[in-house]
Amino acid sequence: SNRVDMFQEEMRQQLETSMHAELDKLLDTATGVDKEVSKKDFDGFKKLFHRFLQVKGPSVDWPKIHRPPEDSIQPYDKIAALPLPDSLADSLNKLVVVKLNGGLGTSMGCKGPKSLISVRNENTFLDLTVQQIEHLNKKYNTDVPLVLMNSFNTDEDTKKILQKYTHHRVKIHTFNQSRYPRINKESLLPVATDIGMTGENADVWYPPGHGDIYASFYNSGLLDQLITEGKEYIFVSNIDNLGATVDLNILHHLVSQPNGKRCEFIMEVTDKTRADVKGGTLIQYDNKLRLLEIAQVPKAHVDEFKSVTKFKIFNTNNLWISLGAIKRLQEQNAMDMEIIVNPKTLDGGQNVIQLETAVGAAIKSFDNALGINVPRSRFLPVKTVSDLLLVMSNLYSLEAGSLTMSQKREFPTTPHVKLGSSFTKVQEYQTRFESIPDMLELDHLTVSGDVTFGKQVSLKGTVIIIANHGDRIDIPAGTILENKIVSGNLRILDH
């Protein structure tokens, strides 16, 4: 076996040498600022690639997984029960809100950054975020800045839009995620032929997941700038999670920790439902809190991982992290995140892999990390048009950029909505609803096929509408559907 090990080690070294040579060739095609930025990016990529070559099999040893100790995941109620001090402004002035803004709206059939899709009364994800922070800054007379982590896919369009906020009471900064080369699955070498991003090089680069935030934030110089300005913590969340607003109870809990036992990382988790079985969960591993993602689970244990009884909570990706700790870990090169290998097929049919990391996976590198089990309302992601229908409806009321479940709904759970393939694109979806139905008393909605909704339709209980292939169903204006199954062909003609 020693021989095998030596052979494998030789192979690894050869691959690494070849990769470095290819990256150098790519760098030779760059000039000026591009070259500087790409060089930094490639340095990060080399580290990731080196670790990728070292890793064998799933990164967890299943028998070593334990439930987190009782006190390591605090119930939100316990934290919210503590009285807030009069000096809230002091705490807020130590905070920076960071939104992960690298994603495109492709899953909803939109071009450009996802953050620019209209979600509610013509407001985009970005508008709502700015309104929330501006509201805080005005109410407490503070200076909480907004930082957007863009990717090369979203940077240009986002920056154009930012001009519209110049007179808002929010300082907005941006920095860019790294740009890494996609790797040919067979040769394990870059697909790119030069540093450009057009023509045949358009889809050979990728932003390496949100775990890249630590390195790119640090490399951008913005991290140091904010520390110099007296900022101590960032609150990080996905820009499409409309529940991720600044929570003053959590912030107070963070800031009021005694110095010797300062918590450097809080992950907001929430109880799993059947819809969340794939979400990452917190475990105790080698005496540290650790994020376990489905990709790291050995195949034989995937069903166990998905069980709602053994792993009761999942990561909302709302994270509170110490800026000083990020700086320390970056400078010590001690940020440890599992590598996610994401296989893709390019338009030409070529199989590639991209190496990514997740921001929450670094939890095990920080001191005194903590989970807080928050209400489900803090997790309201809009990933699909079905999610969009919920947040546009009267289930939610909008105030100062924040969406809250309407007081008129009798139970706090969100209805289960499944819109069929005729609704996947935002444009199509908009033409199918003359107005958004009343959904206050809805439990479950399934719509499939060619279906349109007139004005002021009301949906209650369980409603299933299925238009068979070639048929069309028009739900007339003012219809009330309660616990109904509608199928076949239904066209109400106006006389």
Side-chain angles (χ1 to χ4, degrees):
S1 82
N2 270 358
R3 257 189 168 154
V4 172
D5 286 349
M6 274 168 66
F7 176 68
Q8 284 177 334
E9 185 51 42
E10 233 167 82
M11 287 290 291
R12 273 204 291 270
Q13 283 172 1
Q14 276 175 8
L15 267 171
E16 203 156 358
T17 310
S18 309
M19 172 61 85
H20 287 206
E22 288 296 316
L23 293 173
D24 288 344
K25 275 192 221 161
L26 288 171
L27 270 182
D28 285 343
T29 68
T31 50
V33 179
D34 261 1
K35 191 163 191 147
E36 281 308 296
V37 174
S38 298
K39 194 174 173 330
K40 268 188 182 165
D41 285 353
F42 286 2
D43 287 346
F45 178 75
K46 284 173 184 172
K47 283 183 196 162
L48 198 58
F49 187 69
H50 175 78
R51 285 187 30 231
F52 163 70
L53 293 177
Q54 304 296 328
V55 172
K56 305 179 192 66
S59 55
V60 290
D61 187 5
W62 198 255
K64 285 168 66 178
I65 289 178
H66 300 287
R67 258 193 203 163
E70 279 300 301
D71 58 347
S72 66
I73 299 181
Q74 301 269 341
Y76 177 78
D77 297 350
K78 188 175 155 190
I79 281 161
L82 299 168
L84 288 172
D86 298 334
S87 59
L88 262 179
D90 296 348
S91 303
L92 277 166
N93 278 326
K94 294 175 179 167
L95 183 70
V96 177
V97 175
V98 180
K99 293 286 180 183
L100 304 172
N101 185 44
L104 294 166
T106 38
S107 65
M108 293 161 77
C110 290
K111 289 204 170 15
K114 184 166 184 185
S115 54
L116 307 183
I117 295 174
S118 282
V119 201
R120 180 88 189 208
N121 317 353
E122 304 299 303
N123 286 305
T124 65
F125 290 104
L126 190 53
D127 291 335
L128 295 176
T129 302
V130 171
Q131 286 166 27
Q132 287 163 20
I133 301 175
E134 184 174 44
H135 173 69
L136 274 179
N137 283 338
K138 285 180 170 166
K139 183 172 173 184
Y140 296 100
N141 191 22
T142 50
D143 176 25
V144 178
L146 169 63
V147 172
L148 299 172
M149 176 164 90
N150 297 337
S151 67
F152 60 83
N153 290 319
T154 60
D155 189 49
E156 220 174 298
D157 291 342
T158 303
K159 279 189 176 146
K160 278 185 203 147
I161 285 287
L162 290 182
Q163 289 156 359
K164 81 180 213 193
Y165 306 117
T166 36
H167 300 297
H168 288 62
R169 190 168 162 180
V170 182
K171 279 198 197 107
I172 304 180
H173 307 275
T174 65
F175 69 94
N176 261 6
Q177 263 180 286
S178 311
R179 168 163 82 107
Y180 284 0
R182 285 180 165 156
I183 310 170
N184 179 319
K185 197 177 166 194
E186 268 60 59
S187 69
L188 292 185
L189 292 173
V191 188
T193 49
D194 65 62
I195 209 85
M197 297 190 34
T198 48
E200 53 192 48
N201 259 351
D203 58 357
V204 299
W205 305 99
Y206 71 98
H210 41 55
D212 183 54
I213 183 172
Y214 304 109
S216 48
F217 197 8
Y218 178 80
N219 288 340
S220 71
L222 189 54
L223 182 82
D224 281 335
Q225 182 191 325
L226 292 165
I227 290 175
T228 310
E229 289 172 15
K231 305 298 182 194
E232 292 181 18
Y233 288 97
I234 53 175
F235 170 49
V236 183
S237 63
N238 299 352
I239 195 140
D240 63 10
N241 178 8
L242 293 176
T245 54
V246 171
D247 185 285
L248 298 172
N249 296 306
I250 297 178
L251 176 64
H252 174 56
H253 183 75
L254 259 181
V255 174
S256 59
Q257 299 278 318
N259 255 343
K261 191 90 169 97
R262 253 306 150 84
C263 170
E264 296 183 341
F265 194 110
I266 284 179
M267 176 181 287
E268 293 185 35
V269 295
T270 193
D271 292 339
K272 261 193 201 179
T273 67
R274 298 266 168 234
D276 314 303
V277 290
K278 289 184 173 157
T281 192
L282 278 182
I283 55 170
Q284 183 82 352
Y285 195 91
D286 292 339
N287 294 321
K288 285 235 156 181
L289 267 191
R290 177 160 165 177
L291 178 66
L292 177 66
E293 299 274 10
I294 194 161
Q296 296 154 357
V297 176
K299 286 220 169 27
H301 295 281
V302 166
D303 284 345
E304 200 179 334
F305 173 80
K306 287 179 171 179
S307 101
V308 185
T309 42
K310 178 160 183 177
F311 300 107
K312 292 184 163 58
I313 48 150
F314 73 98
N315 166 26
T316 62
N317 224 33
N318 301 349
L319 309 167
W320 303 73
I321 313 173
S322 152
L323 281 167
I326 296 176
K327 183 177 163 73
R328 179 188 80 232
L329 290 165
Q330 273 306 119
E331 288 175 348
Q332 294 171 353
N333 196 14
M335 201 69 81
D336 180 18
M337 292 171 280
E338 288 76 31
I339 295 174
I340 301 159
V341 179
N342 191 351
K344 297 265 179 191
T345 306
L346 302 185
D347 286 347
Q350 186 174 23
N351 289 325
V352 296
I353 55 173
Q354 47 192 55
L355 306 178
E356 303 176 6
T357 54
V359 53
I363 185 168
K364 62 176 184 287
S365 305
F366 289 85
D367 293 339
N368 304 321
L370 186 66
I372 295 184
N373 191 341
V374 296
R376 180 76 185 197
S377 55
R378 292 193 53 75
F379 184 67
L380 185 59
V382 181
K383 299 284 180 204
T384 61
V385 177
S386 304
D387 298 334
L388 193 58
L389 180 63
L390 288 171
V391 299
M392 283 184 158
S393 75
N394 60 344
L395 282 165
Y396 292 95
S397 40
L398 178 65
E399 199 184 324
S402 299
L403 287 180
T404 44
M405 179 76 76
S406 165
Q407 296 293 311
K408 295 180 188 153
R409 183 159 171 89
E410 300 212 340
F411 23 82
T413 55
T414 322
H416 197 64
V417 173
K418 283 199 291 210
L419 299 177
S421 55
S422 309
F423 290 81
T424 35
K425 293 195 164 125
V426 174
Q427 281 82 357
E428 292 174 326
Y429 154 91
Q430 284 163 340
T431 60
R432 293 185 175 276
F433 290 98
E434 272 192 63
S435 70
I436 303 293
D438 168 352
M439 293 163 54
L440 274 177
E441 296 174 43
L442 180 69
D443 300 323
H444 181 110
L445 171 68
T446 298
V447 183
S448 172
D450 186 358
V451 179
T452 60
F453 292 80
K455 280 197 166 69
Q456 291 169 330
V457 170
S458 188
L459 306 171
K460 303 175 181 202
T462 297
V463 178
I464 298 172
I465 305 170
I466 297 174
N468 301 328
H469 190 67
D471 288 346
R472 178 168 153 194
I473 294 179
D474 294 328
I475 306 293
T479 308
I480 297 174
L481 295 175
E482 183 165 6
N483 296 327
K484 275 241 182 318
I485 296 180
V486 182
S487 67
N489 198 5
L490 178 72
R491 300 194 65 171
I492 310 284
L493 299 174
D494 292 331
H495 295 296

